Amino acid sequence: MSDYSSGYNFGGANADLGNKKQEVMDKVRGELALANAQELINKINEKCYEKCVPKPGASLSSGEQACLSKCMDRYMEAWNVVSRAYVSRIQRESAGQSSTF
């Protein structure tokens, strides 16, 4: 009987599985955050450069620099507003779902 029961510690296995699952979830969250940051930078570069630098040259004029700075600030503010609204919506929806169980 000891041959069958040795090595089976289901409580420990469940804890290990829970830890592994948490590690994977944390890694996925980190990768998503990185992907979101990269997307933000790419969009800022694309949109603001198109708007502020109509004729690319060897350097940026002071007006182009000011335009880029303001555009980046506005874009990031808008991104943050949308992100907060999205997170708030997800939290409301998950709170509504958990109360139905």
Side-chain angles (χ1 to χ4, degrees), residues 1-100:
M1 180 164 176
S2 64
D3 292 335
Y4 294 108
S5 62
S6 65
Y8 289 104
N9 182 353
F10 292 110
N14 286 340
D16 288 343
L17 184 60
N19 289 339
K20 295 283 186 196
K21 182 178 178 182
Q22 187 62 44
E23 287 175 20
V24 170
M25 293 298 291
D26 289 344
K27 185 173 181 174
V28 168
R29 283 187 190 105
E31 290 174 3
L32 285 172
L34 179 60
N36 281 332
Q38 289 171 332
E39 178 69 16
L40 173 61
I41 291 167
N42 289 338
K43 287 292 183 184
I44 286 174
N45 286 338
E46 176 186 328
K47 300 295 182 183
C48 293
Y49 190 80
E50 278 180 19
K51 178 182 182 206
C52 297
V53 187
K55 295 181 183 177
S59 63
L60 295 173
S61 70
S62 61
E64 290 170 335
Q65 289 177 11
C67 179
L68 284 168
S69 179
K70 288 178 185 177
C71 180
M72 289 170 58
D73 288 345
R74 286 189 200 125
Y75 203 93
M76 290 182 74
E77 285 174 21
W79 183 279
N80 286 333
V81 167
V82 170
S83 294
R84 282 192 296 271
Y86 179 73
V87 167
S88 177
R89 179 179 174 185
I90 295 297
Q91 289 173 341
R92 279 194 317 267
E93 288 177 0
S94 66
Q97 288 178 355
S98 65
S99 65
T100 60

